[in-house]
Amino acid sequence: QSALTQPPSASGSPGQSVTISCTGTNNDVGGNNYVSWYQQHPGKAPKLIIYEVAKRPSGVPDRFSGSKSGNTASLTVSGLQTEDEAEYYCCSYAGTNYVFGAGTKVTVL
Amino acid sequence: EMQLVESGGGLVKPGGSLRLSCVVSGFNFRSYSMNWVRQSPGKDLEWVASVSSTGNYVYYADSVKGRFTISRDNAKNSLFLQMNSLRGEDSAVYYCARNVATNSRGGFDPWGQGTLVSV
């Protein structure tokens, strides 16, 4: 059982936006600004796309954005492209450990 | 280019041991905290352990505490995970991953390609 709650699936047409939520507790998401998001394509290692709630690593398109309100973090993918179809995981630091969500499968219709 | 290359995975019987290694290149290894993260066949990602840049501080998930040991050799740009008393639920792809920044707990980047452990 994952510590962070994500919807199992989300979808959108090319060009549309999709937002994925990630709900935790005061001990993790709500307790610090160390939320990160990962994109994973089948057979590949996870790739960091958002760190520290809203920062983008070099090379990640600005179509990806992150935010947080209380115990819920969100990832928004704007202007969906076919290559955005993947599994997305959130993660939060929780004091001395890290917790992940179970992942959200994003389908580009 | 930053690279992390894991090795040491394989098939082991319950109760057995394995030692995973991760050799890194392309960045100043001794400046970063490092981590092991695993992904079960059911796809769930689970943080396993972290070690500080100097190796002085280590942290473990409750699920592996007392059975796994994380360590590093900064002279050899290498990270290790000694896994003892292995159980079926330890079966997973094990990734080594660097903290995104030297003074941040805000994410893991980059990741290795992973090594498969089957118990």
Side-chain angles (χ1 to χ4, degrees):
Chain A
Q1 186 175 0
S2 299
L4 305 180
T5 301
Q6 296 181 237
S9 63
S11 62
S13 300
Q16 290 186 332
S17 296
V18 64
T19 296
I20 304 167
S21 61
C22 171
T23 301
T25 69
N26 290 334
N27 295 320
D28 38 65
V29 174
N32 59 69
N33 287 321
Y34 292 137
V35 175
S36 52
W37 290 89
Y38 303 86
Q39 178 191 62
Q40 188 176 34
H41 289 108
K44 300 292 188 181
K47 173 190 173 184
L48 180 70
I49 53 173
I50 294 289
Y51 69 101
E52 293 180 5
V53 176
K55 297 180 179 179
R56 272 188 314 276
S58 174
V60 173
D62 60 6
R63 303 184 291 102
F64 294 92
S65 62
S67 63
K68 190 187 84 166
S69 178
N71 294 339
T72 298
S74 299
L75 171 72
T76 297
V77 187
S78 305
L80 269 173
Q81 300 184 4
T82 54
E83 58 262 36
D84 298 333
E85 184 160 299
E87 195 83 22
Y88 291 83
Y89 296 90
C90 63
C91 177
S92 176
Y93 182 64
T96 58
N97 60 304
Y98 293 85
V99 290
F100 282 91
T104 297
K105 169 65 175 176
V106 169
T107 301
V108 181
L109 302 171
Chain B
E1 179 191 4
M2 296 183 289
Q3 278 198 314
L4 296 81
V5 180
E6 302 96 334
S7 61
L11 179 63
V12 62
K13 294 180 180 179
S17 298
L18 278 177
R19 180 176 170 86
L20 306 184
S21 300
C22 173
V23 178
V24 314
S25 59
F27 64 92
N28 188 3
F29 178 70
R30 63 183 67 235
S31 293
Y32 290 85
S33 294
M34 296 293 297
N35 309 271
W36 288 98
V37 178
R38 66 186 181 185
Q39 186 165 35
S40 64
K43 301 187 315 172
D44 282 358
L45 284 169
E46 181 185 17
W47 169 82
V48 173
S50 295
V51 60
S52 63
S53 58
T54 60
N56 289 342
Y57 299 97
V58 294
Y59 305 93
Y60 299 96
D62 286 344
S63 58
V64 306
K65 201 171 294 183
R67 301 186 300 122
F68 290 11
T69 302
I70 188 172
S71 62
R72 63 190 297 161
D73 183 339
N74 285 346
K76 296 183 178 180
N77 282 3
S78 295
L79 176 71
F80 306 102
L81 185 68
Q82 177 67 43
M83 305 186 297
N84 298 330
S85 303
L86 282 162
R87 306 166 180 167
E89 55 263 39
D90 296 319
S91 295
V93 174
Y94 284 73
Y95 296 99
C96 69
R98 192 195 76 175
N99 273 27
V100 62
T102 55
N103 292 319
S104 175
R105 298 184 175 94
F108 307 126
D109 181 62
W111 297 55
Q113 86 289 349
T115 187
L116 179 63
V117 172
S118 297
V119 183

